[in-house]
Amino acid sequence: NAGVMQNPRHLVRRRGQEARLRCSPMKGHSHVYWYRQLPEEGLKFMVYLQKENIIDESGMPKERFSAEFPKEGPSILRIQQVVRGDSAAYFCASSPGVVTTNEKLFFGSGTQLSVL
Amino acid sequence: KQEVTQIPAALSVPEGENLVLNCSFTDSAIYNLQWFRQDPGKGLTSLLLIQSSQREQTSGRLNASLDKSSGRSTLYIAASQPGDSATYLCAGEYNFNKFYFGSGTKLNVKP
C-alpha cells in the first residue's frame, strides 16, 4: 500500500508562471489536506478537501491559489502567477477520516517550490 | 481560535539524556493529538497519536501524554540518541479532521 504520493518533488518556476502540485492520497483515504511550510517556520494549514468538495479553505490566500480533488485522479494545488513569496515546501496529507491505527494524518514527502 | 504552541523552539542535549518536549493548546475540545517527526528536507513521520479519551501512548523509547484540562501534551524521549535529532511537531485535531500544528521543537542530540 503506497503512501501519500506527491509530485513533482522539486518545482522551479519564474515569476508570473503557473505552478501545479499533485497529490495522490493513500488508498482508501477520502480526506486530503494541503499545508505550506516556509523556511524555518511551522506548517500552516491551507485547505481541506474531500472528493469533489472543498470542506475548508480558510488557510488559502484569497487570490491566485486554488485546489481541487476530483472524483478521479489526484488532488491538485494550483498557484497562478507565482511570486517569490510563494517559494516554500508544500505538503499534502491524507486521512481515512477515522482513527483506525495509531495514526490519523499521513504525509507525503512534499513539493519544494522555488520561484526565480 | 485554536492555537498550538511548542516550547522550547530548539533543544540541544548530550546523547543518553532523557528529555521532554512540550505542546500546549488553547482549546480543550480536542479530538486527538498527534506527534510527528520531520527530518531536514523531508516530510513528516507520525510518531504517536493520543485520542481524547486516552491519557498517554507509548512506542519504544517514546511516551506521549495528554492532559486536556490543562491544555498540554508532552513527548518524553528516553535515552536519547543522535538519530533522534530532528524537528518534532505536535498537531491537535479539532472539529473532526481539522488539524492545527505547532511550530515545532528542533532537537539536536550530540554524540
Side-chain angles (χ1 to χ4, degrees), chain A residues 9 31 33 35 37 40-43 45 48 56 58 91 95 97-99 102-105 107-109, chain B residues 32 34 36 38 41-44 46-49 51 57 89 93 96-103 106:
Chain A
R9 187 76 176 88
H31 304 254
Y33 308 80
Y35 289 84
Q37 187 174 40
E40 304 301 323
E41 293 190 15
L43 281 166
F45 168 80
Y48 162 33
D56 184 342
S58 59
F91 288 97
S95 171
V98 294
V99 176
N102 195 29
E103 302 179 54
K104 191 168 178 186
L105 201 58
F107 277 85
S109 298
Chain B
N32 301 296
Q34 194 163 349
F36 296 86
Q38 185 177 27
K42 301 285 180 63
L44 278 71
S46 181
L47 297 173
L48 289 164
L49 179 145
Q51 298 183 52
Q57 283 284 349
L89 296 146
E93 181 189 356
F96 195 61
N97 288 320
K98 189 163 183 180
F99 298 84
Y100 292 85
F101 280 81
S103 296
K106 189 173 184 179

Side-chain angles (χ1 to χ4, degrees), chain A residues 1-7 22-29 92-95 103 105-110, chain B residues 44:
Chain A
N1 185 14
V4 179
M5 304 300 291
Q6 286 189 251
N7 67 82
R22 295 175 188 77
C23 170
S24 296
M26 285 183 70
K27 186 177 180 181
H29 288 194
C92 172
S94 73
S95 171
E103 302 179 54
L105 201 58
F106 298 77
F107 277 85
S109 298
Chain B
L44 278 71

Side-chain angles (χ1 to χ4, degrees), chain A residues 50-105:
Chain A
Q50 294 183 24
K51 284 283 187 182
E52 299 185 277
N53 284 305
I54 297 174
I55 306 301
D56 184 342
E57 57 181 347
S58 59
M60 289 277 271
K62 294 288 187 289
E63 298 176 347
R64 303 187 297 108
F65 284 71
S66 62
E68 63 175 4
F69 187 18
K71 186 177 180 180
E72 300 291 338
S75 174
I76 305 289
L77 178 67
R78 182 183 178 203
I79 311 173
Q80 295 178 289
Q81 300 172 352
V82 296
V83 301
R84 287 209 174 118
D86 296 332
S87 296
Y90 291 83
F91 288 97
C92 172
S94 73
S95 171
V98 294
V99 176
T100 55
T101 62
N102 195 29
E103 302 179 54
K104 191 168 178 186
L105 201 58

Side-chain angles (χ1 to χ4, degrees), chain B residues 61-87:
Chain B
R61 295 182 293 109
L62 305 179
N63 176 278
S65 67
L66 176 64
D67 185 341
K68 289 180 60 177
S69 61
S70 66
R72 291 182 182 179
S73 176
T74 60
L75 179 67
Y76 174 82
I77 302 177
S80 59
Q81 303 171 358
D84 295 330
S85 298
T87 297

